[in-house]
Amino acid sequence: WSSGVAPNKREGWSRRIEEHEKSQNHKDAQRSRSHFLNSPIDGTIQQAIQEEENKCAAIVGRVVDVLLTCSEMNIGLRGHREKVGEGKCEGGNFLSIIKLMSNYDPLLKEIINSPKNTERYLSPIIQNELLGILDD
């Protein structure tokens, strides 16, 4: 690593390197490096992915419950103008029940308050897909 340094500048390096390697700063850095290299970064990422999958499954479970309730009661799902997101949840029976449940369910409150272009699993397309799956 010292080949790019002029020979006259290399004098005393071995002594200084030895001193540095014995210093507390070097030992701390080595310990941090070892911890970093041995830390389960992949495990941390995998855990975050699993948590997101669990969250999505929980949302879909709630949506399915509301769809089944509306179907059992033989009531329509959608209204004329539906708005969901940024604190709004307006529309037909389906969204009204979701909004009611969000008063008691922090996960539903979170998806209702989420910004535009966020996956919420509340769109008519998702409703139809889930109803199709439930029908099979």
Side-chain angles (χ1 to χ4, degrees):
W1 55 269
S2 64
S3 61
V5 179
N8 62 344
K9 300 277 184 173
R10 292 186 212 161
E11 291 178 21
W13 277 21
S14 60
R15 180 183 49 78
R16 283 183 275 184
I17 289 172
E18 272 185 46
E19 287 174 8
H20 171 75
E21 287 177 345
K22 292 177 183 175
S23 74
Q24 189 61 41
N25 286 341
H26 181 75
K27 290 175 184 176
D28 291 343
Q30 286 293 95
R31 214 175 342 224
S32 294
R33 178 184 177 269
S34 175
H35 176 72
F36 175 77
L37 292 176
N38 294 322
S39 67
I41 293 174
D42 289 340
T44 304
I45 293 170
Q46 191 62 35
Q47 181 182 357
I49 290 169
Q50 187 63 49
E51 288 173 5
E52 186 66 22
E53 286 176 357
N54 292 343
K55 180 180 172 182
C56 292
I59 293 168
V60 170
R62 287 159 172 81
V63 169
V64 166
D65 287 344
V66 174
L67 289 171
L68 288 173
T69 300
C70 290
S71 297
E72 288 170 0
M73 297 179 66
N74 203 24
I75 59 175
L77 297 174
R78 295 185 274 281
H80 292 289
R81 291 184 182 91
E82 295 187 338
K83 294 180 183 178
V84 180
E86 298 178 344
K88 294 182 181 180
C89 189
E90 304 165 353
N93 296 320
F94 172 78
L95 289 179
S96 294
I97 294 171
I98 292 288
K99 184 175 182 178
L100 174 66
M101 289 175 62
S102 76
N103 292 330
Y104 308 98
D105 187 332
L107 186 56
L108 289 176
K109 175 141 326 262
E110 179 185 331
I111 65 170
I112 287 174
N113 290 325
S114 62
K116 288 183 178 183
N117 301 323
T118 302
E119 186 59 57
R120 296 184 188 93
Y121 304 99
L122 301 177
S123 72
I125 294 170
I126 298 291
Q127 293 172 34
N128 289 338
E129 286 181 17
L130 291 172
L131 286 171
I133 292 168
L134 294 170
D135 190 39
D136 291 340

